[in-house]
Amino acid sequence: MNALSIAGLSKTYGDNVHALKGIDLDVPDGDFFALLGPNGAGKSTAIGIISALVNKTAGKVEVFGHDIDREPEAAKASIGLVPQEFNFNMFEPVLPTVLNVAGYNGISRKVALSRAEYYLKKLDLWDKRKAASRQLSGGMKRRLMIARALVHEPRLLILDEPTAGVDLEIRRSMWEFLTELNEQHGTTIILTTHYLEEAEALCRNVAIIDGGKIVERGAVAQLLSRSMQETFVLDTRANPDAAPSLPPFTLRLRSENRMEVDVPHGHTINELFQGLSEQGIEITSLRNKTNRLEEFFLRLVHRKTEANT
């Protein structure tokens, strides 16, 4: 069974804005799935419909086989949602913020307390359980929304920009927690993010939405393998006077002891190193210039724009 099945999903707002244009999408049970796209592409609209916050115009949505129109309670009980915006009472303490959601889902006080303690400890918030939510840092508020979304232990967790504005250390700790939740507890996770390294680091499958349509989908590794080239930054032991000529690689001298190189698809770093070694250039370090998934997305949108002009 799929965790999520979408068929022909459309949404038109009153001013004749077509936010979604008949999208089809399946997310397998247990997947860690990325839904990517630029601002205004339709990601948040799709999430709003799935979580019953937005009414659809047409189409069908099922969550673990439960149609959101015919079985709305069963579908909603299977979903935990972490929205972009903070939407809890800022004057309420942390622990009641989590417990109240458990109560809404019919969970007994005893079970709710046990689960709240577990998730608040996993997310490093237990020591703050008596503090008003407004006293938390931005990263803590993000983690509180995750704990709140998980207290009824949904089978599907939807995260809409969960690490926006969060520093790198907290982001990495959240990555570890979400990976554990997916791999050890079997929770299906759907992630939208502008930090595209998250999709590459966390997700197995991805769909790219643009202009209200799904324009690409597949395994993250498969999409990355279709990238036409990768760009690396090289540090050299000596300071070359100019970038060497080494077809099919394209090298650019950026500063003393540093070059950039474009490696076309089908060619390897070992070929590059061998060619540079033959020219007497020793490489001391190498790293990716940019995220490969981001490069793929930008090329995809660029090709689509060119096709429409």
Side-chain angles (χ1 to χ4, degrees), residues 9 20 35 42-54 81-83 158-161 190-192:
L9 185 62
L20 295 175
L35 182 62
K43 303 186 302 297
S44 294
T45 298
I47 288 172
I49 293 171
I50 295 164
S51 54
L53 298 175
V54 176
L81 174 65
V82 181
I158 301 175
L159 301 153
D160 197 4
E161 304 286 349
I190 297 176
L191 170 77
T192 79

Side-chain angles (χ1 to χ4, degrees), residues 6-282:
I6 295 174
L9 185 62
S10 298
K11 175 62 180 178
T12 302
Y13 288 100
D15 51 0
N16 206 34
V17 174
H18 300 286
L20 295 175
K21 303 174 182 177
I23 67 171
D24 301 317
L25 184 65
D26 290 322
V27 178
D29 184 10
D31 200 2
F32 205 137
F33 191 92
L35 182 62
L36 305 178
N39 289 330
K43 303 186 302 297
S44 294
T45 298
I47 288 172
I49 293 171
I50 295 164
S51 54
L53 298 175
V54 176
N55 293 324
K56 60 185 172 63
T57 302
K60 183 177 181 180
V61 178
E62 291 185 348
V63 180
F64 291 101
H66 301 294
D67 188 289
I68 64 169
D69 295 320
R70 297 196 305 267
E71 303 172 274
E73 295 303 321
K76 285 190 286 186
S78 300
I79 297 173
L81 174 65
V82 181
Q84 290 185 37
E85 305 297 331
F86 301 132
N87 62 350
F88 47 76
N89 183 347
M90 291 290 180
F91 296 92
E92 187 174 47
V94 167
L95 183 58
T97 297
V98 178
L99 292 176
N100 288 342
V101 172
Y104 296 151
N105 286 275
I107 299 169
S108 70
R109 181 77 173 179
K110 181 179 179 181
V111 172
L113 281 168
S114 175
R115 290 184 184 176
E117 180 178 356
Y118 172 79
Y119 287 112
L120 290 174
K121 284 182 175 178
K122 291 292 289 184
L123 290 160
D124 296 322
L125 289 172
W126 184 245
D127 290 343
K128 299 287 187 180
R129 63 189 180 277
K130 296 181 181 179
S133 299
R134 64 187 175 87
Q135 297 174 337
L136 302 180
S137 68
M140 289 179 178
K141 289 173 183 172
R142 294 281 177 197
R143 285 178 280 160
L144 173 58
M145 292 207 297
I146 294 176
R148 184 186 61 173
L150 289 172
V151 70
H152 66 294
E153 298 195 337
R155 298 170 66 189
L156 171 63
L157 178 65
I158 301 175
L159 301 153
D160 197 4
E161 304 286 349
T163 59
V166 172
D167 67 44
L168 183 60
E169 183 178 353
I170 293 176
R171 188 187 306 170
R172 294 287 182 179
S173 69
M174 290 171 67
W175 287 9
E176 292 174 3
F177 171 76
L178 294 172
T179 299
E180 177 185 330
L181 187 70
N182 174 250
E183 294 181 352
Q184 299 184 21
H185 296 268
T187 304
T188 305
I189 299 177
I190 297 176
L191 170 77
T192 79
T193 178
H194 279 98
Y195 300 110
L196 295 178
E197 70 272 15
E198 287 187 334
E200 186 172 0
L202 297 174
C203 300
R204 290 187 287 278
N205 294 295
V206 60
I208 297 175
I209 186 170
D210 188 32
K213 297 180 180 180
I214 301 292
V215 296
E216 191 69 68
R217 75 187 77 191
V220 172
Q222 180 185 40
L223 293 184
L224 292 177
S225 71
R226 291 167 51 189
S227 178
M228 297 305 294
Q229 68 180 27
E230 291 184 67
T231 301
F232 295 91
V233 177
L234 307 174
D235 290 326
T236 59
R237 188 168 302 281
N239 182 16
D241 295 328
S245 176
L246 189 62
F249 306 102
T250 302
L251 292 103
R252 297 174 293 277
L253 191 63
R254 290 306 187 198
S255 63
E256 291 186 2
N257 305 94
R258 179 161 297 174
M259 293 186 292
E260 285 181 8
V261 57
D262 298 330
V263 179
H265 181 63
H267 295 272
T268 68
I269 294 297
N270 286 339
E271 293 175 56
L272 172 67
F273 282 178
Q274 181 178 347
L276 291 174
S277 178
E278 290 173 354
Q279 297 191 30
I281 299 174
E282 183 180 353

